[in-house]
Amino acid sequence: VQLQASGGGLVQPGGSLRLSCAASGSIGAINNMGWYRQAPGKQRELVAVIISGGNTNYADSVKGRFAISRDYAKNTVFLQMNNLKPEDTGVYSCNAEIRLLGTVSRRGYWGQGTLVTVSS
């Protein structure tokens, strides 16, 4: 299984970016999909998560500015980030809880990080 993330870059404060993360491989089912970020010198933190039923959860710092969504057919999760602030700068990584084909247990898989820099 691979998770391929894309969409990071440099943006000015107040700007927007959209991150994508596509899961591929021998996937039986995907439960949660989410985004985490790690700012320089800080621990990784949860940004947003969407579960298989469509419920979402956000870090307080991004509520009202970020929106997570999912394309179930394409095993892809998106993170629309609006009104970006310098404190949103960091490496954003996607995570998915996946059950492989022919198995019954699930485990988390990580994609490679994509750097988001918010600066004027």
Side-chain angles (χ1 to χ4, degrees):
V1 171
Q2 289 188 332
L3 273 68
Q4 183 68 42
S6 61
L10 173 64
V11 64
Q12 292 185 341
S16 298
L17 282 175
R18 188 182 192 225
L19 306 183
S20 300
C21 178
S24 61
S26 299
I27 297 171
I30 300 178
N31 190 17
N32 300 347
M33 298 189 83
W35 290 95
Y36 292 72
R37 70 184 178 193
Q38 186 167 20
K42 295 187 177 181
Q43 290 187 334
R44 185 164 57 191
E45 62 174 349
L46 173 67
V47 176
V49 63
I50 183 167
I51 66 173
S52 58
N55 288 340
T56 58
N57 192 30
Y58 296 92
D60 288 342
S61 60
V62 307
K63 285 181 180 177
R65 300 188 297 121
F66 290 12
I68 189 170
S69 60
R70 186 169 163 181
D71 184 329
Y72 291 86
K74 296 182 179 179
N75 292 331
T76 301
V77 63
F78 305 96
L79 186 66
Q80 178 66 44
M81 305 185 293
N82 299 325
N83 190 21
L84 282 160
K85 303 176 180 180
E87 51 263 43
D88 294 317
T89 294
V91 176
Y92 285 69
S93 301
C94 58
N95 177 275
E97 188 181 39
I98 296 174
R99 176 179 62 78
L100 299 181
L101 284 171
T103 67
V104 297
S105 61
R106 298 176 297 192
R107 56 156 284 196
Y109 290 82
W110 288 95
Q112 90 289 0
T114 184
L115 178 62
V116 172
T117 303
V118 185
S119 175
S120 55

